Amino acid sequence: MSKSEIQSKIAELKMDYVRIQGDIEKLESTGHGVTKAEEQLIRLEQELQELNELLLQHN
């Protein structure tokens, strides 16, 4: 994976993360589906960490 591909994937994941955070705020008001959304955030955080480590190796 090239440096630019990694950076693009990181940007995409960050947008997904922000979207899911907004979804969680909506879900909290109804009390439904929060756990699944939180699990998605954890998965995204792990993937972002891996990609950031990979990006550091490209520098």
Side-chain angles (χ1 to χ4, degrees), residues 18-56:
V18 170
R19 179 185 51 78
I20 293 169
Q21 281 181 318
D23 291 348
I24 286 176
E25 290 177 13
K26 292 174 190 172
L27 291 170
E28 284 177 337
S29 67
T30 64
H32 301 293
V34 174
T35 303
K36 183 174 171 112
E38 288 174 338
E39 290 170 358
Q40 288 179 313
L41 287 182
I42 292 168
R43 182 183 51 78
L44 287 175
E45 288 169 357
Q46 292 169 342
E47 193 170 350
L48 282 167
Q49 181 180 358
E50 292 169 6
L51 288 170
N52 280 314
E53 289 172 4
L54 189 58
L55 188 59
L56 287 174

Side-chain angles (χ1 to χ4, degrees), residues 4-23:
S4 63
E5 289 172 324
I6 296 169
Q7 290 171 326
S8 293
K9 183 68 176 171
I10 288 172
E12 178 183 324
L13 290 174
K14 285 181 178 181
M15 286 188 293
D16 287 345
Y17 193 92
V18 170
R19 179 185 51 78
I20 293 169
Q21 281 181 318
D23 291 348

